[in-house]
């Protein structure tokens, strides 16, 4: 039964609701609605001008309404008088097909028709930096190999513990937090769930981390590669498929060496087949390709892929199978749109299941040491333009994601690329002034 937000406000002492949607570039847009007006908003949605956000619209388009999904409401643990509600975009009483949460819900429903209920977990890495964004926030965090650094973790205890406590309060079942491989970088983990639930939580997590960091006088960034020489921020996704009741893992096969079923291998095959195009969504910014094509970092490894390969429990490949009944996609980065990330995983995997795709040969070499010996696997795109071109060539993936979304995404992202390409940089002056 869908909760009545007005009644919820009275029960929980909520004064305001943030009706929030995520646009094509992953930016979170919201209106702050007083509880006295929430009944009308729950029925009709909150009005926005779609052109004013990163959606493929013009000023002449009708009002875009963000219709709150009351079943996913989250009361802000650090400001309990406010509740956040993810919303679906509608226009003229129809879902907006390019809107990321709508894209995901469409694919969830498509997969369910074939008995596929995708569950995922994400590992959203982030940096805690100075408010001006120029340096990490902890000058003492300077070890060459800072991963799991106990002292550096505890110097940011107040921030990390507060966020973890909030996740526990919200019922997310957080289970570990650590300092990651770059100075100033952290990762926090919570339990996997249905793809839409994970996407909503991922979206809220980014908002929560930024908010708590600001409360402590810091700044949090999910930028894929904010500092040269340091490991970038990934957003690894763990993927499995279950039955409707969530009790039987369809990817699990006890007799298989890696514990993957035939369906699991086909789903993986879809990911491998569409990997180059996938990158346009899982790695959606110019900066993303500074991470997946990075030279060796100060710590000794980038921990990110650059080739379309898969393996067992080996972190140097694009996909690894760390345990029975699931696999980990290591391609996505911190800039990934929480909703489009889940959508494109389902789209590629569903196509793999339908076509009985073969993931290809498993590779167990150390890709960081021996990757140059792999000559039969595609390279991941070198930049955003290459990724967009790969996505545009992949007619199947575009159709799976929806023609309206795909056209809008490609148009908006090409505009972003052109903006980048026309930008004059200090590098050009340094290397070209005296030519």
């Amino acid at each position: 039964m869908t909760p009545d937000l007005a009644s919820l406000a009275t029960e929980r002492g909520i004064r305001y609701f943030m009706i929030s949607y995520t646009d094509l570039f992953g930016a979170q847009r919201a209106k702050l609605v007083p509880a006295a007006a929430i009944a009308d908003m729950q029925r009709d949605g909150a009005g926005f001008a779609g052109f004013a956000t990163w959606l493929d619209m013009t000023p002449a388009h009708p009002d875009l309404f963000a219709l709150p999904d009351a079943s996913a409401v989250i009361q802000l643990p650090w400001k309990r008088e406010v509740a956040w509600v993810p919303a679906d975009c509608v226009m003229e009483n129809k879902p907006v097909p390019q809107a990321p949460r709508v894209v995901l819900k469409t694919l969830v429903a498509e997969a369910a028709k074939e008995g596929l209920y995708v569950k995922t977990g994400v590992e959203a890495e982030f940096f805690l930096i100075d408010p001006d964004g120029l340096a990490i926030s902890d000058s003492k965090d300077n070890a060459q190999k800072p991963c799991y650094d106990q002292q550096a973790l505890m110097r940011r205890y107040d921030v990390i513990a507060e966020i973890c406590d909030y996740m526990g309060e919200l019922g997310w079942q957080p289970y570990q937090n650590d300092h990651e491989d770059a100075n100033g970088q952290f990762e926090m983990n919570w339990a996997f769930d249905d793809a839409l639930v994970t996407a909503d939580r991922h979206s809220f997590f980014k908002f929560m981390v930024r908010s708590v960091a600001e409360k402590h006088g810091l700044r949090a960034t999910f930028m894929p590669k904010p500092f040269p020489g340091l490991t970038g921020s990934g957003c690894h996704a763990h993927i499995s498929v279950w039955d409707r009741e969530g009790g039987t893992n369809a990817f699990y096969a006890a007799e298989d060496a890696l514990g993957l079923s035939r369906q699991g291998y086909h789903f993986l095959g879809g990911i491998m087949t569409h990997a180059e195009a996938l990158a346009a969504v899982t790695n959606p910014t110019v900066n993303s390709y500074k991470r997946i094509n990075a030279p060796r970092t100060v710590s000794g490894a980038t921990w990110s892929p650059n080739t379309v390969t898969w393996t067992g429990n080996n972190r140097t490949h694009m996909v690894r199978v760390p345990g029975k009944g699931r696999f980990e996609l290591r391609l996505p980065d911190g800039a990934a749109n929480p909703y489009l990330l889940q959508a494109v995983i389902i789209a590629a995997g569903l196509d793999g299941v339908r076509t009985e795709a073969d993931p290809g040969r498993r590779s167990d070499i150390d890709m960081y040491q021996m990757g140059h010996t792999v000559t039969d696997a595609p390279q991941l795109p070198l930049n955003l333009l290459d990724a967009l071109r790969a996505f545009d060539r992949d007619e199947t993936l575009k159709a799976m994601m929806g023609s309206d979304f795909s056209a809008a995404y490609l148009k908006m992202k090409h505009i972003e690329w052109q903006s980048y390409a026309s930008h004059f940089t200090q590098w050009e002056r340094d290397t070209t002034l005296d030519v």
Side-chain angles (χ1 to χ4, degrees):
M1 182 177 177
T2 303
D4 177 72
L5 292 177
S7 299
L8 192 71
T10 301
E11 293 168 11
R12 298 190 185 178
I14 297 169
R15 294 178 58 207
Y16 290 93
F17 288 88
M18 293 179 68
I19 299 180
S20 173
Y21 75 89
T22 300
D23 67 20
L24 288 172
F25 283 13
Q28 296 171 317
R29 311 293 182 166
K31 283 200 171 180
L32 193 63
V33 176
I38 196 60
D40 289 344
M41 297 291 177
Q42 184 170 4
R43 182 184 65 248
D44 302 324
F48 293 80
F51 174 73
T53 71
W54 294 116
L55 293 170
D56 182 22
M57 295 180 180
T58 72
H61 271 84
D63 283 349
L64 178 149
F65 288 93
L67 198 63
D69 183 348
S71 66
V73 64
I74 298 175
Q75 191 169 1
L76 272 55
W78 66 94
K79 191 178 286 291
R80 298 193 60 80
E81 63 188 31
V82 180
W84 177 88
V85 199
D88 297 321
C89 297
V90 299
M91 185 177 286
E92 297 183 321
N93 297 315
K94 297 178 182 178
V96 176
Q98 64 175 282
R101 198 170 190 267
V102 173
V103 174
L104 174 56
K105 290 180 74 173
T106 300
L107 279 157
V108 167
E110 189 72 17
K113 290 178 184 176
E114 302 190 25
L116 303 177
Y117 298 88
V118 180
K119 290 182 179 288
T120 60
V122 294
E123 302 175 5
E125 296 172 345
F126 60 93
F127 282 81
L128 291 175
I129 59 178
D130 289 339
D132 60 12
L134 297 178
I136 65 170
S137 62
D138 181 2
S139 62
K140 296 178 182 178
D141 186 352
N142 55 17
Q144 181 178 344
K145 284 187 174 289
C147 204
Y148 316 122
D149 189 312
Q150 183 169 275
Q151 292 299 126
L153 177 63
M154 290 307 292
R155 282 196 297 273
R156 288 291 171 256
Y157 171 84
D158 289 348
V159 177
I160 301 301
E162 183 173 345
I163 296 167
C164 189
D165 287 345
Y166 292 156
M167 289 195 289
E169 181 180 327
L170 294 171
W172 293 11
Q173 298 176 266
Y175 58 90
Q176 64 182 9
N177 313 291
D178 67 68
H179 189 294
E180 275 296 311
D181 193 61
N183 306 110
Q185 187 185 47
F186 299 86
E187 178 181 307
M188 307 181 71
N189 303 122
W190 66 93
F192 73 100
D193 213 313
D194 294 329
L196 180 61
V197 173
T198 292
D200 283 336
R201 289 177 177 176
H202 184 189
S203 181
F204 185 81
F205 177 77
K206 296 179 80 168
F207 167 55
M208 176 166 60
V209 169
R210 293 186 181 113
S211 298
V212 174
E214 288 175 6
K215 173 183 170 183
H216 288 268
L218 308 176
R219 184 175 179 178
T221 179
F222 294 86
M223 183 178 178
K225 186 78 168 178
F227 302 106
L230 297 183
T231 306
S233 288
C235 187
H236 305 154
H238 292 259
I239 304 156
S240 55
V241 165
W242 299 69
D243 64 355
R244 182 187 296 272
E245 291 73 29
T248 302
N249 183 348
F251 276 11
Y252 179 78
E255 69 282 359
D256 181 72
L258 294 178
L260 276 186
S261 67
R262 184 167 172 267
Q263 188 179 73
Y265 280 112
H266 290 327
F267 197 105
L268 173 57
I271 296 292
M272 301 299 289
T273 298
H274 298 289
E276 294 165 272
L278 209 70
V281 177
T282 59
N283 306 82
T285 70
V286 168
N287 181 256
S288 294
Y289 298 86
K290 301 293 197 298
R291 167 184 168 263
I292 63 175
N293 290 297
R296 182 173 297 197
T297 63
V298 172
S299 72
T302 65
W303 301 109
S304 59
N306 58 23
T307 307
V308 182
T309 57
W310 73 278
T311 186
N313 199 352
N314 176 338
R315 287 181 168 87
T316 66
H317 293 258
M318 189 188 80
V319 176
R320 72 169 179 137
V321 184
K324 292 180 181 294
R326 64 185 170 98
F327 63 82
E328 176 191 41
L329 178 62
R330 298 178 61 80
L331 177 60
D333 63 43
N337 184 309
Y339 298 99
L340 298 181
L341 169 59
Q342 301 298 326
V344 81
I345 286 171
I346 295 173
L350 182 56
D351 179 61
V353 171
R354 286 173 173 171
T355 61
E356 298 187 350
D358 182 349
R361 179 176 57 85
R362 166 184 166 184
S363 175
D364 292 322
I365 65 171
D366 180 343
M367 286 296 291
Y368 299 154
Q369 296 293 329
M370 301 297 294
H372 64 280
T373 66
V374 178
T375 59
D376 58 348
Q379 293 290 302
L380 288 166
L382 292 174
N383 54 53
L384 179 60
L385 180 60
D386 286 350
L388 293 173
R389 287 171 172 167
F391 183 73
D392 199 15
R393 288 193 301 268
D394 195 326
E395 297 295 340
T396 299
L397 191 63
K398 285 196 299 182
M400 294 289 293
M401 293 290 287
S403 58
D404 289 282
F405 161 77
S406 296
Y409 189 76
L410 284 166
K411 176 182 175 181
M412 301 298 285
K413 280 293 175 181
H414 274 294
I415 291 172
E416 181 180 25
W417 174 261
Q418 290 299 328
S419 175
Y420 165 73
S422 63
H423 173 67
F424 283 82
T425 66
Q426 186 60 42
W427 181 90
E428 292 168 88
R429 297 186 64 81
D430 292 342
T431 60
T432 315
L433 270 178
D434 296 321
V435 167

